[in-house]
Amino acid sequence: MLFMQSNWFFAPYKLNDTVTELILSPTKLVIGSELITKAMSFNIRMNGVFVSKSYDDGEGFLKKRRNTNDLLVLTSFQTGTDPTVDRIHLYQPKLEYGQWVGDFFKSLVCSFSDFKSSNVTIRTRVHDIDDFDKYKETLTSVSEASGSISVTFPVIAPFAAVALPAIKGIVNMIDSLDDHESIIDSNLQLSISEENTGAKILQTGHWIYFNKPQDEGLKLNPTLQVLDRNNKSNELFKECDYVVYSIMAEEAQEPEWETDQKVAKLLSELGGKGNSGKSAVEFVRDTVEGYSKFKKLNRIKELEEKADKTEVEKALLEKLKADKSIEPFLPKTS
């Protein structure tokens, strides 16, 4: 029997009570899932990662295979041509391999209350950090400030007033990740598209990436761990490293999340790492223009509600109402 191989597999959002068979990257809606369309709310989460071996070797004559990794787990996301934003999910030194890891300080990759793009791209990066002593101060700061916005959105770190100055080295550390042992590094682009056009359809469900191509026949248990295809006792799959994502048709219920997400996008573009296809100046101009319009509309509301307006304020109100840039947002008068 001929099996198809792939690195990326999918399971429907609604899993079976026992096991659910993984399918190849779908180009159409899968039973048990829901299509994501524009204007919908949805979020993407990293549920866990499995590392099958140690990538941490000793040196010289004492070279010896160890049983741990200094594990750093990151993602980045991009919608359309917007800036790319990095997220740190986990740093854990001396983590023994061969176990499922899902206790991230933040599992959320991205969240949208009103999706306006036609696609979203997720990049997964899992690294074993070499030369730990060189990065010890920064990495320790990552662990100690795991709930900080500077960790969850590293690009914000240089601008945040945090108690741990070393945390500002996060961006430099991420920039140097090519110097460290890469365990997983892969992109997944999901699109709002017609079915059977070759695009991976954006829909609710669970995506699994294996760092070595796999045959069909693998299964997912209800806790989102992959099971060994050749074993009937529900033992976990351990042949290679993998990561599991989930897509849910709901906005993440975290205060100020989307605001922080937008701040991170803006700072990514200003840092020249947005990959948006726009110049940094153009992206900032769009952002500032939107903010300026909001401030004008808010000022109109303030002035209209003021009972004792001065002549200067009355003139300003008329001037603002005549502003062509905000005219489409003003109430229509008959």
Side-chain angles (χ1 to χ4, degrees):
M1 183 177 181
L2 181 63
F3 288 95
M4 295 289 291
Q5 284 197 326
S6 178
N7 291 92
W8 282 101
F9 283 82
F10 182 80
Y13 182 71
K14 184 66 175 177
L15 299 173
N16 298 328
D17 291 337
T18 53
V19 295
T20 302
E21 186 162 342
L22 300 181
I23 61 177
L24 294 173
S25 303
T27 59
K28 61 181 180 181
L29 178 63
V30 174
I31 296 174
S33 292
E34 177 186 359
L35 284 177
I36 301 295
T37 62
K38 289 188 177 183
M40 279 185 66
S41 298
F42 77 96
N43 70 76
I44 301 177
R45 294 178 181 272
M46 175 184 275
N47 281 297
V49 61
F50 179 87
V51 178
S52 63
K53 65 180 183 178
S54 174
Y55 291 82
D56 191 5
D57 289 332
E59 297 179 353
F61 293 108
L62 299 178
K63 185 170 184 178
K64 179 182 178 182
R65 176 63 68 180
R66 298 173 181 170
N67 63 351
T68 63
N69 294 294
D70 298 322
L71 202 64
L72 183 67
V73 180
L74 307 96
T75 59
S76 60
F77 70 91
Q78 182 181 32
T79 56
T81 59
D82 278 358
T84 301
V85 178
D86 290 316
R87 300 272 289 116
I88 291 183
H89 297 280
L90 176 75
Y91 170 67
Q92 191 164 340
K94 307 306 176 187
L95 180 67
E96 289 191 10
Y97 71 84
Q99 60 179 304
W100 172 256
V101 182
D103 294 328
F104 302 136
F105 28 76
K106 289 291 183 180
S107 62
L108 193 60
V109 176
C110 52
S111 177
F112 309 95
S113 59
D114 174 13
F115 192 61
K116 298 177 182 179
S117 183
S118 58
N119 60 70
V120 58
T121 301
I122 303 299
R123 183 183 180 187
T124 310
R125 284 183 289 175
V126 180
H127 286 262
D128 175 54
I129 299 298
D130 299 323
D131 195 5
F132 173 75
D133 289 340
K134 179 179 178 181
Y135 299 95
K136 183 177 180 180
E137 190 177 8
T138 294
L139 291 169
T140 300
S141 297
V142 170
S143 298
E144 293 178 355
S146 59
S148 166
I149 186 176
S150 303
V151 172
T152 53
F153 291 110
V155 71
I156 297 177
F159 305 92
V162 295
L164 298 165
I167 206 170
K168 297 183 179 182
I170 291 175
V171 176
N172 292 332
M173 184 185 68
I174 292 175
D175 288 344
S176 67
L177 278 180
D178 288 342
D179 298 334
H180 303 278
E181 186 77 42
S182 176
I183 300 173
I184 291 175
D185 191 344
S186 182
N187 290 345
L188 173 67
Q189 185 175 89
L190 303 173
S191 302
I192 294 176
S193 175
E194 293 183 11
E195 295 182 312
N196 298 320
T197 59
K200 294 181 178 68
I201 299 294
L202 181 56
Q203 59 187 300
T204 60
H206 312 284
W207 283 93
I208 300 90
Y209 174 81
F210 300 93
N211 69 345
K212 293 182 181 179
Q214 298 298 314
D215 294 323
E216 296 173 277
L218 289 171
K219 295 177 174 62
L220 201 65
N221 69 18
T223 59
L224 301 176
Q225 295 167 285
V226 180
L227 299 178
D228 188 339
R229 66 165 68 81
N230 299 317
N231 197 298
K232 297 182 180 180
S233 61
N234 291 332
E235 287 192 10
L236 297 182
F237 172 85
K238 298 181 179 180
E239 294 177 19
C240 71
D241 315 317
Y242 68 90
V243 62
V244 180
Y245 288 99
S246 291
I247 301 177
M248 293 171 276
E250 59 186 42
E251 180 185 359
Q253 299 301 309
E254 294 192 26
E256 301 181 348
W257 170 266
E258 283 206 70
T259 299
D260 293 344
Q261 188 169 280
K262 290 173 183 176
V263 170
K265 281 186 179 183
L266 178 58
L267 293 177
S268 293
E269 192 64 43
L270 287 172
K273 299 171 184 176
N275 302 320
S276 70
K278 299 180 180 181
S279 70
V281 171
E282 183 182 355
F283 186 83
V284 174
R285 183 182 291 118
D286 290 344
T287 303
V288 173
E289 284 180 353
Y291 176 73
S292 177
K293 290 175 184 177
F294 169 78
K295 294 295 286 184
K296 289 177 182 178
L297 291 168
N298 195 51
R299 185 62 170 148
I300 288 174
K301 182 174 181 295
E302 288 177 356
L303 291 172
E304 285 183 332
E305 292 176 349
K306 187 175 181 181
D308 52 345
K309 289 185 281 290
T310 67
E311 291 302 315
V312 174
E313 288 172 332
K314 290 178 182 178
L316 174 60
L317 178 59
E318 293 306 311
K319 178 182 178 181
L320 288 171
K321 286 183 174 181
D323 190 324
K324 296 296 183 181
S325 69
I326 60 173
E327 185 178 20
F329 306 101
L330 294 173
K332 302 298 181 183
T333 56
S334 55

